[in-house]
DNA sequence: TGATTGAGCAACCAAAAAGTTGCATTTAAT
DNA sequence: ATTAAATGCAACTTTTTGGTTGCTCAATCA
């Protein structure tokens, strides 16, 4: 396989789509993920500012996002910064595209069948 | 607004993306949804055949998918058939594209800044 | 008619998730 | 040296979730 590991087999576990969607399936996490999508790294304290819950709760959400591979963290000084991570997101997108594509194909076949029928 | 209600405001609640992703965030539901993406309507009994759980459990999963707007059900005879529903899926896709697009934009800006810097 | 099949409903159960509090630890600022 | 800020960790509580069993009801089929 090429050096740029398109398939995530190199990441250890096979792409667990359900885990990715589950990580996005919470309003708080979705908001955090959306906020991080501008590429800026942010500390837990900053990310906890506008959330109406404890810093520890936000920390847990960040852990969920991180184990799902949607964000990454690195410590700088005394604070740990979280950054957007696009790889798994691309996987999720690909899966949705695949499903939507299958639906479109089915619809197309149905349509051509109907035309066939009316001929 | 046009007759073909592109925005889901007509569906009552505003598009709850977290709910959509949460519905997809379970392997069983993901498998069911994937299976239904061929456009074929299937009864609960049929969908329960290859699942290693009770029919009632599958029913619950179908309810979750339905309240998220990912599938629709209609009764025919004594059985209720579930069909794929592409609208919310399109919403989810759009959201992911939006986030990915923002990331790409940020990356691009960062790159041009770096080029600027080395000049 | 009588048996069977597909499904709905309610109660119940165990495990996971979401969130909290309290305390310890490390890093930075004064 | 002290203090304050940012976080990590563990225990605990409350909801939610995923799943089960038992019973009932409606629609077929023999």
């Amino acid at each position: 396989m090429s050096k740029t590991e398109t398939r995530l087999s190199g990441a250890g576990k096979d792409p667990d789509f359900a885990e990715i969607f589950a990580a996005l399936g919470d309003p708080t996490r979705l908001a955090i993920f959306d906020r991080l999508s501008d590429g800026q790294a942010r500390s837990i304290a900053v990310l906890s500012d506008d959330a109406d819950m404890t810093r520890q709760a936000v920390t847990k959400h960040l852990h969920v996002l991180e184990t799902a591979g949607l964000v990454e963290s690195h410590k700088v000084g005394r604070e740990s910064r979280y950054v957007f991570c696009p790889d798994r997101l691309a996987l999720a997108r690909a899966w949705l595209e695949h499903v939507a594509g299958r639906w479109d194909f089915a619809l197309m076949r149905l349509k051509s069948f109907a035309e066939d029928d009316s001929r």
Side-chain angles (χ1 to χ4, degrees), chain A residues 4-113:
Chain A
T4 54
E5 281 294 343
T6 303
R7 297 174 56 198
L8 284 239
S9 52
K13 54 186 177 183
D14 59 332
D16 190 345
F17 297 107
E19 189 186 25
I20 302 176
F21 289 128
L24 296 175
D26 176 278
T28 303
R29 288 196 292 268
L30 208 56
I32 291 175
F33 188 62
D34 184 40
R35 196 169 167 198
L36 288 178
S37 69
D38 66 353
Q40 282 253 327
R42 289 177 178 83
S43 70
I44 298 180
V46 168
L47 288 171
S48 303
D49 276 345
D50 61 340
D52 54 347
M53 69 187 68
T54 324
R55 175 182 54 81
Q56 281 83 348
V58 173
T59 300
K60 282 195 183 179
H61 283 301
L62 286 170
H63 283 339
V64 173
L65 285 172
E66 188 170 27
T67 59
L70 291 169
V71 302
E72 282 178 353
S73 72
H74 60 277
K75 300 206 64 168
V76 44
R78 68 182 156 185
E79 62 190 15
S80 61
R81 303 238 177 98
Y82 282 80
V83 287
F84 189 85
C85 186
D87 297 348
R88 296 299 176 95
L89 174 64
L91 269 181
R93 283 205 296 161
W95 194 87
L96 290 191
E97 296 299 323
H98 157 250
V99 168
R102 183 124 65 117
W103 162 259
D104 286 339
F105 182 71
L107 200 66
M108 193 192 66
R109 281 212 320 182
L110 184 66
K111 204 157 123 185
S112 75
F113 179 75

